[in-house]
Amino acid sequence: MYIITNTDNGKLYVGIATGRNGIYQRWKNYIDNGHDGNTELSKLVEQQEKRT
């Protein structure tokens, strides 16, 4: 289990990474596509991109 803190608004995102490669694979997927298929996180990424 892991927690990501949004330093802009203080909101927390709690995630879990299971499977053979666990957290390593999860973070690799985040690096590759920004959201790893997580629709809520994908929305946040899109909102942030619109700000910049």
Side-chain angles (χ1 to χ4, degrees), residues 27-52:
W27 283 101
K28 183 177 180 327
N29 292 345
Y30 282 138
I31 290 167
D32 290 345
N33 66 29
H35 54 77
D36 193 29
N38 182 317
T39 56
E40 291 301 314
L41 185 56
S42 180
K43 289 177 191 175
L44 292 173
V45 169
E46 287 177 20
Q47 289 173 0
Q48 184 64 33
E49 287 174 350
K50 289 179 183 176
R51 288 181 174 176
T52 58

